Amino acid sequence: MERNEVAAVLAYIGRLDPRTIRTGTGEARDQIAQWHELLHDVPFTTDRGWDVRETIRAHVLDSPYPILPVDVARKWRAYRRDRLDRHTDPTPVADPDDPAAWQAELLGTRHAVAAGAAAPSTHRQITCGGPHPDVEARLRAIGSCILPAVRAQLAPYRPARAARETAVAEGRPDALSVRCRWCQAPEGEPCRSRRVGLDGRARGNAPRATPHPTRVDLAAAEPTRQRAA
């Protein structure tokens, strides 16, 4: 704040708390000099929620003691810390091969956020409420983040997933959408090859590339059962 702004702040404080008024010319000049020394880097207002009058009003309402310039300076520092704590440095547009320009842009963004001239960049904050509608529309348009060519190359390494995707693409029922009654594989998990030994116990637990026929029949009957219900 400039000296004239400091004088306006002191006049505003005097209206709210007459105890701070200095009647003598020398006392008033010394008071302005003291406040300006401590508040020369504190703005009067910003476009992002800071107003020194709000700080003064809150102090007069909450504290029985006259406000001091350090009270305003501490509130401003807390305001700066809060904004920087909520800020995540965005990637500069400057050439990364130019370290000086890269650093200057980062520092300039931080100073603008701290001074209340720019809003904090909070794109890495945890959010709630699900994805934005634009994101959902893009996901529906893309369908999958795995390209078809890459999916074809991965098919030999995950045969159960490939068989499931092929069945869905061809309009056949997704067998893995139901629990297998034969091997007790849960929903979403591939069937297991289990053999019964001479003692009557199950042997082997290797995953199958194709589901058991009973599971396929159960998945095919599931839509009919849901409609009947």
Side-chain angles (χ1 to χ4, degrees):
M1 284 186 284
E2 301 296 335
R3 293 180 67 90
N4 60 336
E5 293 177 322
V6 172
V9 167
L10 289 173
Y12 179 74
I13 295 174
R15 290 198 301 270
L16 300 182
D17 187 359
R19 294 176 299 174
T20 62
I21 297 176
R22 301 293 182 265
T23 56
T25 304
E27 292 180 348
R29 185 185 304 110
D30 293 341
Q31 186 185 34
I32 292 175
Q34 178 195 22
W35 280 67
H36 183 258
E37 178 68 22
L38 293 174
L39 303 181
H40 67 277
D41 60 342
V42 178
F44 191 86
T45 60
T46 67
D47 297 333
R48 304 291 176 177
W50 167 262
D51 191 327
V52 69
R53 291 168 296 186
E54 294 293 335
T55 300
I56 295 169
R57 188 181 300 110
H59 181 90
V60 172
L61 291 174
D62 297 337
S63 176
Y65 303 103
I67 189 171
L68 299 175
V70 293
D71 297 323
V72 179
R74 288 167 182 165
K75 286 291 185 180
W76 169 248
R77 292 191 175 189
Y79 171 86
R80 287 169 54 94
R81 285 195 302 269
D82 174 69
R83 293 178 63 80
L84 289 176
D85 288 343
R86 293 186 288 111
H87 176 67
T88 300
D89 290 322
T91 303
V93 298
D95 185 358
D97 293 330
D98 187 351
W102 184 278
Q103 184 179 16
E105 186 175 344
L106 280 177
L107 292 177
T109 303
R110 292 179 186 177
H111 290 161
V113 171
S121 176
T122 57
H123 64 277
R124 295 183 186 176
Q125 281 188 338
I126 298 176
T127 59
C128 61
H132 191 273
D134 292 344
V135 177
E136 294 181 344
R138 293 180 182 178
L139 289 176
R140 287 194 298 268
I142 295 173
S144 175
C145 60
I146 303 178
L147 298 176
V150 177
R151 190 181 299 278
Q153 294 177 1
L154 292 175
Y157 303 98
R158 47 178 195 173
R161 179 62 179 269
R164 185 180 190 186
E165 293 173 350
T166 301
V168 173
E170 295 176 353
R172 293 185 281 110
D174 180 13
L176 271 62
S177 62
V178 296
R179 181 184 181 86
C180 183
R181 296 179 178 176
W182 178 264
C183 65
Q184 303 303 318
E187 296 181 13
E189 296 293 333
C191 290
R192 299 284 177 171
S193 297
R194 295 178 178 175
R195 302 183 304 275
V196 179
L198 298 177
D199 56 357
R201 296 182 178 180
R203 305 292 183 182
N205 197 35
R208 290 168 51 95
T210 57
H212 287 107
T214 55
R215 191 176 192 181
V216 176
D217 296 340
L218 181 62
E222 189 69 18
T224 304
R225 186 181 301 107
Q226 292 178 355
R227 288 195 298 269

